[in-house]
């Protein structure tokens, strides 16, 4: 038995060593690191041109160029349209963060079969070091979970559809489509003067108050109603490209909205104007406070926002009437009980 002791000890040592090595992942192959599609950081990008081959061009440019100027992204073509800063930032992160799943064909000769011919979505990306990258997005792979993509004259690769959804954006996906720039938390008052209604919403709370209290035309309303009204106006958006306000001739005033709010610790007051023009009597345009841009807005949505205070008033009045009726009924019951007691 003694002669087996060294062998047994060796086996035990080997087993313990194997268990320890396994616990430290010594036998596990390193996971392959996915290759980045573009191999750049978002901060490397200086400008991007989007070539939209699907847009009906009827007088509208089919390409848009965004460029970084003094640390701020601007659209310079087809016009200096206002941009949504959050959308642009997310888009740049998506471009730099996209992975290529696999190489489909190293030296493609027939790009049309991948949807990478004339119908491809194309972008020209210029970097701060003056390098240029040409990105083409084609059709779906048979599995329908990825798209064919080509960078410059490189191979055709597959990129997940989810990533492409964040990359292949149109000009309108990047525009600021909401003319009313306000934050429910910072708004102190709204004053609407229009053809269909005139009203004033005001916060009566101090800056250090735990919860805001609101009045509508001098009468107290629920904070939820006030927030709903502010949100209804703030979230109004356009489905069209904005226009230069100077292009709208012979305009007719429709309403004004004055917004007072706290911006960076300072009190600010912005005035938005709603107008119509004789050539488009059913279209309401909202002019931004700087007077530069005009947003084509849905008349029905604007009218709903304009008359929304009426629903608040009706609701409040209804509640007051219900409360009053309940009090009257309680008083009547009490009086009846007193009369019966006296008998």
């Amino acid at each position: 038995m003694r002669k087996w002791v060294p062998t047994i000890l060796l086996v035990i040592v080997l087993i313990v060593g194997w268990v320890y090595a396994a616990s430290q992942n010594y036998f596990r192959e390193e996971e392959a690191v996915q290759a980045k599609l573009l191999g750049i950081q978002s901060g490397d990008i200086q400008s991007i041109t989007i070539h939209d081959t699907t847009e009906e061009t009827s007088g509208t440019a089919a390409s848009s160029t965004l460029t970084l100027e003094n640390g701020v992204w601007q659209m310079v073509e087809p016009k200096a349209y206002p941009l949504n800063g959050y959308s642009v930032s997310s888009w740049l992160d998506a471009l730099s963060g996209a992975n290529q799943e696999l190489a489909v064909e190293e030296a493609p000769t027939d790009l049309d079969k991948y949807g990478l011919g004339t119908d491809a979505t194309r972008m020209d990306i210029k970097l701060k070091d003056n390098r240029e990258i040409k990105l083409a997005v084609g059709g779906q792979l048979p599995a329908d979970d990825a798209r064919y993509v080509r960078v410059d004259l490189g191979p055709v690769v597959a990129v997940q559809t989810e990533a492409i959804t964040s990359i292949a954006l149109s000009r309108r996906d990047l525009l600021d489509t909401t003319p009313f720039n306000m934050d429910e938390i910072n708004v102190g008052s709204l004053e609407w003067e229009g053809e269909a209604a005139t009203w004033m919403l005001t916060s009566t709370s101090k800056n250090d108050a735990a919860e805001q209290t609101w009045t509508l035309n001098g009468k107290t309303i629920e904070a939820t109603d006030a927030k709903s009204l502010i949100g209804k106006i703030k979230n109004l958006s356009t489905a069209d490209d904005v226009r230069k306000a100077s292009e709208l001739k012979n305009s007719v005033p429709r309403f004004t909205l004055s917004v007072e709010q706290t911006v960076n610790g300072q009190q600010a007051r912005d005035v938005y104007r709603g107008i119509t023009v004789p050539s488009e009597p059913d279209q309401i345009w909202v002019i931004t406070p700087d007077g530069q841009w005009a947003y084509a807005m849905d008349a029905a949505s604007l009218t709903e926002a304009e008359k929304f205070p009426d629903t608040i008033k009706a609701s409040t009045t209804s509640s007051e009437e219900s409360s009053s009726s309940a009090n009257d009924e309680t008083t009547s019951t009490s009086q009846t009980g007193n009369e019966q007691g006296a008998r």
Side-chain angles (χ1 to χ4, degrees), residues 111-152:
L111 294 175
D112 286 334
K113 71 178 182 180
Y114 299 116
L116 290 168
T118 56
D119 293 334
T121 298
R122 299 183 183 279
M123 297 181 201
D124 298 335
I125 303 170
K126 185 175 181 180
L127 306 181
K128 291 179 179 178
D129 60 6
N130 291 324
R131 284 185 295 151
E132 293 188 7
I133 298 173
K134 293 186 179 296
L135 175 66
V137 178
Q140 294 274 5
L141 270 70
D144 202 33
D145 60 349
R147 298 271 294 275
Y148 295 110
V149 176
R150 194 184 193 198
V151 178
D152 294 327

Side-chain angles (χ1 to χ4, degrees), residues 62-267:
S63 64
S64 305
T65 299
L66 287 75
T67 187
L68 184 64
E69 298 180 357
N70 298 320
V72 179
W73 280 93
Q74 310 280 350
M75 182 171 287
V76 294
E77 294 291 342
K79 294 183 180 180
Y81 291 128
L83 295 172
N84 183 313
Y86 175 80
S87 297
V88 173
S89 178
S90 298
W91 181 49
L92 297 176
D93 288 342
L95 283 167
S96 62
N99 298 318
Q100 63 179 51
E101 301 300 314
L102 56 92
V104 178
E105 186 175 353
E106 289 293 337
T109 55
D110 182 7
L111 294 175
D112 286 334
K113 71 178 182 180
Y114 299 116
L116 290 168
T118 56
D119 293 334
T121 298
R122 299 183 183 279
M123 297 181 201
D124 298 335
I125 303 170
K126 185 175 181 180
L127 306 181
K128 291 179 179 178
D129 60 6
N130 291 324
R131 284 185 295 151
E132 293 188 7
I133 298 173
K134 293 186 179 296
L135 175 66
V137 178
Q140 294 274 5
L141 270 70
D144 202 33
D145 60 349
R147 298 271 294 275
Y148 295 110
V149 176
R150 194 184 193 198
V151 178
D152 294 327
L153 298 178
V156 174
V157 300
V159 176
Q160 286 189 349
T161 301
E162 182 180 356
I164 294 300
T165 300
S166 300
I167 288 174
L169 302 185
S170 68
R171 175 172 72 246
R172 287 184 181 146
D173 293 325
L174 300 169
L175 294 182
D176 184 359
T177 59
T178 55
F180 299 106
N181 183 17
M182 64 181 79
D183 189 326
E184 292 95 328
I185 298 176
N186 297 326
V187 169
S189 71
L190 298 181
E191 183 176 0
W192 184 290
E193 295 183 9
E195 295 177 347
T198 297
W199 47 262
M200 176 178 283
L201 177 72
T202 306
S203 171
T204 60
S205 301
K206 301 296 183 182
N207 293 332
D208 57 350
E211 185 176 347
Q212 284 181 297
T213 56
W214 296 87
T215 62
L216 179 63
N217 294 335
K219 295 184 177 180
T220 302
I221 63 170
E222 296 289 338
T224 52
D225 288 332
K227 299 294 186 183
S228 294
L229 175 55
I230 297 171
K232 187 176 289 291
I233 295 174
K234 171 188 173 182
N235 294 324
L236 290 171
S237 63
T238 180
D240 301 315
D241 283 346
V242 298
R243 291 176 60 178
K244 285 283 190 180
S246 58
E247 297 175 2
L248 302 176
K249 306 299 184 182
N250 303 318
S251 61
V252 178
R254 172 66 175 77
F255 69 84
T256 61
L257 174 66
S258 300
V259 181
E260 291 187 354
Q261 59 184 329
T262 304
V263 180
N264 297 325
Q266 302 293 321
Q267 292 296 315

Side-chain angles (χ1 to χ4, degrees), residues 216-217 219 221 308-318 320:
L216 179 63
N217 294 335
K219 295 184 177 180
I221 63 170
F308 185 69
D310 291 341
T311 65
I312 297 176
K313 183 179 179 181
S315 174
T316 304
T317 302
S318 177
E320 291 174 351

